[in-house]
Amino acid sequence: MPTGVAIRDVREQLFGAAERVLLRAGPNALTSRAVTAEAGCAKGVLHKHFTDFDAFLAEFVLDRIARLDEGTAALRDAAGTGTVADNLMEALTALFASTALALVGLIAARDELRARLRRDLPAGVPVLTEAAELIAAYLAAERDLGRVAPGADVDTLAAMLIGTTHLRHAGHGDTPPAPDTVRRIVTAVLATAAPPAG
């Protein structure tokens, strides 16, 4: 791109490019040169807006976590509608069909990125921890409505749902988790938190 030509929405253009490279070629292919080439801009553009490449990656991950939060936030609004199992199935399938696992792989592959993210996300595995918190909030709302057992430990249930789905789906690339697999996971976890009959 010629110098002097303004780029609108530079951050989003670079984040979008990073996401495409990450999904297409994995975390090891994610370099500043690959991102700027994908975005169609000079390498200096990235360094003009970010102190270094790890700062860029940290902002990229935080931005994508915020997007996941927005998408999964609809789950909280679903409390009291449909069935708890169907709502969780839909949310888990959407989460693992998104960039979530690619982001987890990126975070695992880069020590400096993990260190930077710890400043904003001090506990757990970034992305998966935020998803578990959203699912726990949904389960708490369903518990308040009597659709989950009154004494259910929603934080543990959410961690079980995220962890088991992640273990079952890891290594399958960008293929969404199989619906029957997700349903078995959800059914097994919810069986421990069924509200009393009658």
Side-chain angles (χ1 to χ4, degrees):
M1 176 167 288
T3 41
V5 176
I7 303 172
R8 292 188 338 203
D9 302 322
V10 175
R11 289 170 57 88
E12 184 47 45
Q13 185 174 339
L14 291 169
F15 289 166
E19 184 172 306
R20 290 189 299 276
V21 171
L22 178 62
L23 292 174
R24 181 175 64 240
N28 291 333
L30 200 56
T31 63
S32 59
R33 187 174 307 282
V35 170
T36 53
E38 180 75 23
C41 63
K43 189 174 178 183
V45 171
L46 188 147
H47 294 288
K48 179 180 177 185
H49 294 276
F50 301 92
T51 55
D52 58 32
F53 191 57
D54 282 310
F56 165 77
L57 290 176
E59 290 296 320
F60 165 62
V61 170
L62 291 171
D63 178 80
R64 287 332 193 223
I65 287 174
R67 288 177 179 227
L68 290 173
D69 288 353
E70 290 168 12
T72 323
L75 178 62
R76 283 192 303 262
D77 298 335
T81 66
T83 69
V84 175
D86 286 344
N87 292 339
L88 288 170
M89 271 194 58
E90 186 177 322
L92 288 166
T93 301
L95 173 69
F96 286 97
S98 70
T99 60
L101 286 187
L103 291 173
V104 171
L106 172 64
I107 294 162
R110 297 188 70 105
D111 294 338
E112 179 59 29
L113 174 58
R114 276 195 312 281
R116 287 177 189 244
L117 289 172
R118 284 284 170 242
R119 298 173 197 159
D120 294 301
L121 309 168
V125 178
V127 179
L128 298 181
T129 298
E130 285 70 32
E133 288 170 356
L134 290 164
I135 288 175
Y138 164 74
L139 288 169
E142 292 288 21
R143 184 181 57 197
D144 293 344
L145 294 169
R147 292 174 17 125
V148 169
D153 179 349
V154 296
D155 293 322
T156 299
L157 293 172
M160 290 167 62
L161 289 164
I162 292 291
T164 307
T165 307
H166 182 224
L167 285 172
R168 291 288 194 155
H169 185 61
H172 290 267
D174 56 1
T175 305
D180 60 327
T181 301
V182 178
R183 182 167 291 284
R184 280 197 313 274
I185 293 166
V186 169
T187 301
V189 171
L190 287 181
T192 68

